[in-house]
């Protein structure tokens, strides 16, 4: 297999992922078709099957899906440095664009029409988050026990003075415990 | 010192937020509550901008929050903090790819993790809806419930609720329209906000 190590390969990883970062609008899901075109069709860095695998694992490991997938493809092409360069590439456009925008917006934040516009946008953000939760519910709440976990964490998240970290740790342990019990009973 | 704190807060977010960009929201809420770097409303605006600009939402939000806390260096450090756990975890997983995929404990842990992650985002969703559409403030970490009735403001944001209802229909039930990119709905809502003076400004 062709090795992509060396500085040329690393920069190519950086720029290709930077380009994909610019083209991604929205969540990690929006990135898949772009990854397929660039990584599989244009660069040949991974096969269709490998990409699907990376993407699936990227969704169920901690962190941003786009970053996880980028690290995966990068490390396959250029080892550890490849993984790091691909990730730096995919976040590079965000850092530049958001820093510029954030600076601009803070200058205009006191204008009446900007305030009104953001008040309208906040309503939309509510709906977008609500839609995201509904979509996730279908995938994550698959039986009575997952429904109970969902409701417990929902209530805990609203009323307890706890960092989300603890809910995540507890839920992972609960998952292992419940499935172990089920395996024993079977 | 703020840089170290930023890196650490976002390192934790990157390590424990499972399920992509939106899963970081409850963590960002908690960071805002405990540090006072930004308010709920600020976070909502950041989310809207993050959805409407190029780049993965989770990274855009990290950059924006970092920028709000400590300028451009803050933006860079928050983003690096958030991706560092990803890099470490993925490099490890890649090394043991086959056994990771077939590991029953990983599988079992995710059985519990997925609904929990949804529950956390759901809680963030409820508090955000209360704040924007009703004015009831449910402080995440302090447990204080602030009802606007006491200060004489109206309890329900009627124009906001009407817009929300319209958006729910548009984004879920209208063929063709529902598949449009969120930026379209954000733009529409901004226009409605300006025309009907949503902030009263």
């Amino acid at each position: 297999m062709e090795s992509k190590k060396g500085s040329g390969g690393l920069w190519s990883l950086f720029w290709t992922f930077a380009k994909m970062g610019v083209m991604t609008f929205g969540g990690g899901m929006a990135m898949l078709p772009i990854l397929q075109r660039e990584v599989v069709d244009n660069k040949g860095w991974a096969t269709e099957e490998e990409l699907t695998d990376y993407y699936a694992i990227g969704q169920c490991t901690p962190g941003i899906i786009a970053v996880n997938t980028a690290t995966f493809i990068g490390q396959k092409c250029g080892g550890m440095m490849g993984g790091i360069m691909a990730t730096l590439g995919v976040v590079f456009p965000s850092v530049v664009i958001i820093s510029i925008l954030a600076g601009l917006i803070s200058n205009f934040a006191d204008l009446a029409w900007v305030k009104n516009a953001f008040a309208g946008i906040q309503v939309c953000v509510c709906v977008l988050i609500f839609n995201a939760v509904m979509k996730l519910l279908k995938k994550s709440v698959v039986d009575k026990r997952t429904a109970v976990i969902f409701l417990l964490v929902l209530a805990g998240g609203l009323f307890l003075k706890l960092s989300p970290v603890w809910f995540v740790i507890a839920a992972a342990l609960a998952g292992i415990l419940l499935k172990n019990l089920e395996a024993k009973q079977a | 010192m703020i840089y170290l704190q930023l890196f650490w807060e976002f390192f934790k977010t990157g390590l424990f937020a499972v399920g992509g960009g939106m899963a970081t929201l409850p963590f960002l809420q908690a960071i805002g509550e405990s540090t006072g770097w930004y308010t709920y409303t600020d976070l909502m605006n950041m989310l809207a901008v993050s959805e409407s600009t190029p780049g993965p939402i989770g990274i855009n939000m990290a950059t924006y929050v970092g920028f709000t806390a400590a300028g451009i260096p803050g933006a860079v450090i928050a983003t690096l903090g958030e991706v560092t756990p990803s890099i470490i975890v993925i490099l490890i997983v890649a090394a043991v790819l086959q056994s990771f995929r077939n590991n029953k404990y990983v599988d079992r842990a995710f059985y519990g993790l997925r609904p929990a992650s949804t529950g956390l985002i759901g809680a963030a969703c409820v508090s955000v809806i209360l704040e924007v559409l009703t004015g009831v403030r449910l402080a995440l970490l302090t447990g204080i419930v602030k009802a606007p009735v006491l200060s004489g403001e109206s309890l329900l944001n009627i124009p906001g609720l009407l817009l929300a209802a319209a958006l729910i229909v548009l984004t879920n039930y209208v063929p063709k329209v529902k598949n449009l990119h969120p930026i379209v709905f954000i733009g529409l809502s901004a226009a409605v906000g300006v025309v009907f003076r949503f902030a009263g400004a």
Side-chain angles (χ1 to χ4, degrees):
Chain A
M1 206 184 84
E2 188 194 358
S3 169
K4 290 281 198 302
K5 286 189 185 181
S7 61
L10 290 177
W11 280 111
S12 162
L13 275 170
F14 181 89
W15 286 115
T16 306
F17 276 92
K19 212 166 79 181
M20 286 191 280
V22 178
M23 290 190 290
T24 303
F25 249 92
M29 284 297 162
M31 203 180 180
L32 189 59
I34 299 163
L35 279 169
Q36 277 165 341
R37 196 176 58 217
E38 280 293 313
V39 173
V40 179
D41 301 341
N42 291 352
K43 300 279 179 184
W45 284 338
T47 65
E48 188 80 42
E49 290 75 32
E50 283 172 325
L51 183 63
T52 312
D53 269 7
Y54 296 164
Y55 204 70
I57 296 170
Q59 279 177 298
C60 70
T61 41
I64 310 297
I65 300 168
V67 168
N68 294 344
T69 314
T71 308
F72 237 125
I73 296 164
Q75 74 82 32
K76 194 206 159 209
C77 299
M80 197 171 94
M81 276 314 291
I84 293 172
M85 287 301 271
T87 295
L88 292 180
V90 85
V91 304
F92 177 69
S94 292
V95 175
V96 175
I97 294 169
I98 294 286
S99 294
I100 294 170
L101 266 180
L104 280 176
I105 288 170
S106 63
N107 284 336
F108 297 112
D110 290 330
L111 297 177
W113 72 269
V114 175
K115 278 187 186 163
N116 285 330
F118 271 111
I121 288 170
Q122 281 159 16
V123 175
C124 187
V125 173
C126 284
V127 173
L128 292 176
I129 302 173
F130 178 78
N131 286 345
V133 171
M134 287 300 140
K135 210 182 269 177
L136 285 169
L137 265 179
K138 282 178 205 148
K139 273 194 275 180
S140 58
V141 175
V142 291
D143 52 25
K144 276 183 195 154
R145 289 177 303 182
T146 42
V148 170
I149 294 175
F150 166 76
L151 289 172
L152 284 177
V153 175
L154 180 73
L158 277 172
F159 299 111
L160 294 181
K161 293 163 81 177
L162 273 180
S163 161
V165 171
W166 300 112
F167 293 107
V168 170
I169 294 173
L173 292 176
I176 293 171
L177 210 70
L178 286 170
K179 280 281 173 186
N180 273 355
L181 282 175
E182 187 183 83
K184 264 183 200 158
Q185 282 166 358
Chain B
M1 257 340 268
I2 192 172
Y3 298 130
L4 212 63
Q5 197 187 355
L6 259 179
F7 187 88
W8 174 237
E9 292 294 343
F10 277 90
F11 186 90
K12 279 194 293 186
T13 303
L15 186 59
F16 289 102
V18 179
M22 209 53 106
T24 63
L25 186 63
F27 290 85
L28 300 183
Q29 267 189 344
I31 293 173
E33 290 268 341
S34 63
T35 61
W37 287 333
Y38 47 89
T39 65
Y40 253 39
T41 317
D42 293 338
L43 188 60
M44 303 280 293
N45 295 346
M46 293 186 222
L47 179 56
V49 173
S50 301
E51 291 243 27
S52 326
T53 44
I57 294 173
I59 293 304
N60 290 350
M61 287 209 284
T63 304
Y64 208 148
V65 168
F67 186 92
T68 308
I72 291 176
V76 173
I77 285 163
T79 304
L80 289 180
E82 183 150 304
V83 304
T84 304
S86 282
I87 294 178
I88 297 170
V89 170
I90 293 292
L91 288 177
I92 294 170
V93 169
V96 292
L97 184 58
Q98 217 49 44
S99 47
F100 179 84
R101 268 200 310 193
N102 302 327
N103 190 302
K104 62 180 181 190
Y105 289 104
V106 172
D107 207 46
R108 288 170 183 180
F110 273 96
Y111 175 78
L113 273 175
R114 276 186 216 108
S117 181
T118 310
L120 285 173
I121 306 172
C125 180
V126 170
S127 51
V128 149
I129 286 174
L130 284 177
E131 166 119 358
V132 172
L133 296 178
T134 71
V136 176
R137 178 84 161 79
L138 228 172
L140 195 71
L141 289 171
T142 53
I144 300 166
V145 180
K146 190 194 99 188
V149 210
L150 305 173
S151 51
E153 299 163 51
S154 73
L155 184 61
L156 292 179
N157 172 0
I158 303 290
L161 282 167
L162 290 176
L163 176 60
L167 286 169
I168 287 196
V169 172
L170 286 175
T171 52
N172 288 298
Y173 303 110
V174 180
K176 284 186 183 165
V177 174
K178 68 177 182 182
N179 295 327
L180 291 174
H181 192 277
I183 195 169
V184 175
F185 303 108
I186 291 174
L188 178 75
S189 307
V192 171
V194 172
V195 171
F196 294 96
R197 296 173 179 259
F198 265 38

